[in-house]
């Protein structure tokens, strides 16, 4: 039988043991930095370290296989050669460097997102140019890498004695080598069959504890396989007839007529009263603008004087929520009016991201020039393919003349440059007599938080508060320029965030961390007032089309917030796994493995409990997400050219 007395297994166990120590130290450092949020008593420590050990061993069971194969199949003549011993010493040093690098990367990722590596980290590999440049601009990365190299060499030197003892031990005979290989392979297969991305964690409880107990590298590789989750397989479902009736009731509006034969098809004719209007629309999606940063919501730092003044001049929605935690989720909800279905957003489902009845498609069909303008490069997050395939013309950083870009960083041009580009597009369309719909996505309020010098009183790169204040400054300058344009009086200006600056918390879906502002500003067209109706980003598209008094065929899961303001609102919020519906008081959550939970008094005490399928709030939650997942899978959200008889009903 193979034992740790033999050279190959002693060397392998030395490396694996060092990885375990690295995981333990990383977990401890993260725990200490978030001790209060984790609420770590005796049971919490058991969860963090006990479950954490299981995750660490699961990852090492996989990682040990390729190295074990090499060590166990290495011929004795090569093993005992001088160059091979030097190679194994170098491999130890490189492994130590990888451990330190992984620990630092986890720390920085946690600092940004409040979680271990997940599908976001996987996406960052795809868009490596922006991500690498962002890291270089945000941190002293080269000195840090050099420091890690020095530390790795120091630790490697300190380990020379146990390393020599391992290399000088007798080699396994071939029968023992085959037995060891079989054991390693069998262990890895067993782990693959029993340990998943959320095992042995359970949903619910303290989210910080679950994340701390995770293993970053394990979660990273698991995310490759789980970036899109099949709703029917992983989530609670109810009979389609019952869900269909409930869903139709949720999305119905006065005089709406459903036209689909599938029980879960929400395609319907929306009959907006009044004469249709051809107002221009400029919809600005602002990077990471949490409501809490606005002075009018209580921030004392005066970061948003322009937006605070704009609130008094706008149709302002003060109880508005982002659907997700990433830019692509915000764009998905605003453009398609769909809940955040599990896994990847529709924006990034490459090859299946086009052909939908989007807001841009609806307006393009009525003669609008629908344009998506992005401050960065449109290939990021698959934006160009998504918007180009759903009725938009795409204008991004590559479309601008370099002379017109006064400042850019890893994520793209400064907001003020993007606004100047939008002004040019609007001027061009107005001169041609074409109504325009410009949908902008800004980038400045994102790490590394850099922007042109001299615009505000906070130095560039000094943190989030400077980026927020610059974002506000750029909006003020944009509106001052637009007010002098001949198209201003006939234009709706919409400002909304893509998501908040941070959604991590001790709960899976901390509702307060999804709160964002929504402004609709048109001083010649709309009376300023505040709308307290609870809503989320999926309600923006039908509300805008309602302001235009357009009849249309809708596949939107949102509703016109101005049609019946006495109707109770609701907000759909989620992340890539947990799917929530908030009714203003309580929150229902659907999680993988068909788990159902409630958070009563979700904005305050947030008392968590298990729920059952007969809970009305749970049923509403299931209706939206089961319905949206079904509709996506069965092409019920597709754009179809309708006849005039179908779409023009009461407009006269």
């Amino acid at each position: 039988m193979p034992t740790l007395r033999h050279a190959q297994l002693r060397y392998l166990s030395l490396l694996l043991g060092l990885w375990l120590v690295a995981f333990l130290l990383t977990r401890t450092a993260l725990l200490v930095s978030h001790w209060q949020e984790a609420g770590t008593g005796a049971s919490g420590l058991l969860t963090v370290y006990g479950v954490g050990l299981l995750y660490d061993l699961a990852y090492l069971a996989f990682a040990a296989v390729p190295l074990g194969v090499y060590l166990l199949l290495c011929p004795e003549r090569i093993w005992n050669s001088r160059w091979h011993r030097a190679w194994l010493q170098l491999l130890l040093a490189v492994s130590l460097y990888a451990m330190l690098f992984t620990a630092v990367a986890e720390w920085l990722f946690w600092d940004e997102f409040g979680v271990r590596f997940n599908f976001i980290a996987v996406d960052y590999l795809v868009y490596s140019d922006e991500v690498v440049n962002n890291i270089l601009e945000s941190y002293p990365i080269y000195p840090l890498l050099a420091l890690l190299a020095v530390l790795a060499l120091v630790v490697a030197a300190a380990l020379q004695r146990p390393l020599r003892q391992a290399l000088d031990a007798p080699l396994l005979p071939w029968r023992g080598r085959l037995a060891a290989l079989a054991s390693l392979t069998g262990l890895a297969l067993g782990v693959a069959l029993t340990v998943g991305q959320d095992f042995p964690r359970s949903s619910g409880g303290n989210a910080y504890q679950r994340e701390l107990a995770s293993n970053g590298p394990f979660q990273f590789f698991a995310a490759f396989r789980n970036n899109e989750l099949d709703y029917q397989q992983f989530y609670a479902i109810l009979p389609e007839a019952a869900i269909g009736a409930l869903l139709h009731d949720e999305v119905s509006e006065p005089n709406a007529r459903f036209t689909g034969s599938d029980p879960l098809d929400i395609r319907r004719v929306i009959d907006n009263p009044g004469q249709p209007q051809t107002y221009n629309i400029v919809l600005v999606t602002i990077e990471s603008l949490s409501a809490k940063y606005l002075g009018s919501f209580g921030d004392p730092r005066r970061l948003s004087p322009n937006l605070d003044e704009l609130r008094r001049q706008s149709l302002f929605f003060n109880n508005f929520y982002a659907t997700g935690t990433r830019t692509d989720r915000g764009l998905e909800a605003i453009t398609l009016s769909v809940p955040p279905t599990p896994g990847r957003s529709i924006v990034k489902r490459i090859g299946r991201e086009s052909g939908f009845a989007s807001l841009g498609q609806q307006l393009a069909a009525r003669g609008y020039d629908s344009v998506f303008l992005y401050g960065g490069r449109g290939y990021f997050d698959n934006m160009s393919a998504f918007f180009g395939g759903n009725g938009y013309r795409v204008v991004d950083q590559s479309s601008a003349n370099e002379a017109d870009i006064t400042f850019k960083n890893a994520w793209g041009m400064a907001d003020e440059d993007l606004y100047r580009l939008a002004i040019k597009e609007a001027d061009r369309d107005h001169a041609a007599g074409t109504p325009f719909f410009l949908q902008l996505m800004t980038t400045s309020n994102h790490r590394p938080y850099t922007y042109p010098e001299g615009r505000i009183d906070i130095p560039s790169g000094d943190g989030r508060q400077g980026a927020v204040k610059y974002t506000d400054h750029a909006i003020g300058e944009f509106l001052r320029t637009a007010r002098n344009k001949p198209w201003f009086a006939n234009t709706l200006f919409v400002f909304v965030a893509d998501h908040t600056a941070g959604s991590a918390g001790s709960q899976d879906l901390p509702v307060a961390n999804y709160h964002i502002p929504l402004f609709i500003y048109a001083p010649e067209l709309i009376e300023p007032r505040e709308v307290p109706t609870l809503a989320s980003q999926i309600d923006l598209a039908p509300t805008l089309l309602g302001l235009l008094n357009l009849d249309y065929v809708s596949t939107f899961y949102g509703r016109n917030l101005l049609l019946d303001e006495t109707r109770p609102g609701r907000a759909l919020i989620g992340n890539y796994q947990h799917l929530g519906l908030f009714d203003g008081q309580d929150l229902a959550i659907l999680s993988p493995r068909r788990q159902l939970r409630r958070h009563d008094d979700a904005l305050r005490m947030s008392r968590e409990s298990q729920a059952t399928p007969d809970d009305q709030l749970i049923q509403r939650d299931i209706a939206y997400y089961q319905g949206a997942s079904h509709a996506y899978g069965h092409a019920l959200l597709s754009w179809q050219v309708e006849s005039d008889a179908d779409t023009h009903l009461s407009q006269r």
Side-chain angles (χ1 to χ4, degrees), residues 241-300:
I243 288 298
L246 181 55
L247 185 57
H248 282 200
D249 182 63
E250 287 284 331
V251 304
S252 67
E253 296 179 9
N255 301 320
R257 176 169 56 86
F258 291 91
T259 61
S261 58
D262 189 307
L264 297 181
D265 190 352
I266 63 165
R267 190 178 296 269
R268 62 208 183 277
V269 176
I270 300 295
D271 181 10
N272 280 312
Q275 186 67 28
Q277 305 295 328
T278 54
Y279 304 143
N280 304 308
I281 301 174
V282 178
L283 194 170
V284 181
T285 312
I286 307 169
E287 173 68 43
S288 304
L289 186 67
S290 304
K292 66 181 181 181
Y293 291 130
L294 271 63
S296 60
F297 277 113
D299 192 300

Side-chain angles (χ1 to χ4, degrees), residues 245-457:
L246 181 55
L247 185 57
H248 282 200
D249 182 63
E250 287 284 331
V251 304
S252 67
E253 296 179 9
N255 301 320
R257 176 169 56 86
F258 291 91
T259 61
S261 58
D262 189 307
L264 297 181
D265 190 352
I266 63 165
R267 190 178 296 269
R268 62 208 183 277
V269 176
I270 300 295
D271 181 10
N272 280 312
Q275 186 67 28
Q277 305 295 328
T278 54
Y279 304 143
N280 304 308
I281 301 174
V282 178
L283 194 170
V284 181
T285 312
I286 307 169
E287 173 68 43
S288 304
L289 186 67
S290 304
K292 66 181 181 181
Y293 291 130
L294 271 63
S296 60
F297 277 113
D299 192 300
R301 296 172 292 179
R302 290 193 51 78
L303 301 178
S304 59
N306 292 295
L307 289 175
D308 293 335
E309 178 62 27
L310 188 66
R311 178 172 179 171
R312 291 188 285 269
Q313 301 171 3
S314 299
L315 184 64
F316 184 76
F317 297 79
N318 58 30
N319 202 11
F320 198 75
Y321 289 82
T323 61
T325 62
R326 297 275 290 152
T327 295
D328 54 316
R329 280 300 189 191
L331 295 176
E332 170 193 72
I334 291 167
T335 307
L336 301 182
S337 184
V338 295
T341 50
R344 283 191 169 205
S345 71
I346 293 173
V347 175
K348 293 197 291 191
R349 295 180 185 179
I350 297 173
R352 296 176 295 151
E353 73 279 68
S354 60
F356 296 99
S358 69
L359 177 58
Q361 192 73 271
Q362 294 282 3
L363 292 170
R366 287 157 178 79
Y368 279 72
D369 182 22
S370 293
V371 188
F372 175 68
L373 296 102
Y374 178 47
R377 299 172 183 84
Y379 70 82
F380 183 78
D381 271 358
N382 203 40
M383 292 183 198
S384 288
F386 172 75
F387 283 98
N390 288 296
Y392 292 80
R393 180 167 60 88
V394 177
V395 175
D396 66 358
Q397 179 180 324
S398 63
S399 307
N401 295 323
E402 281 296 321
D404 294 331
I405 301 177
T406 62
F407 182 91
K408 60 183 176 180
N409 61 20
W411 295 108
M413 68 178 79
D415 287 0
E416 61 190 73
D417 295 330
L418 177 64
Y419 290 134
R420 280 193 286 267
L421 189 60
I423 292 283
K424 286 185 177 181
E425 293 292 331
D427 286 345
R428 185 181 299 113
D429 279 337
H430 179 73
T434 303
F436 54 82
F437 168 45
L438 308 182
Q439 184 170 342
L440 285 66
M441 181 67 231
T442 72
T443 61
S444 291
N445 191 27
H446 193 294
R447 192 184 295 276
Y449 312 129
T450 54
Y451 40 82
E453 295 286 359
R455 304 305 195 267
I456 60 172
D457 57 0

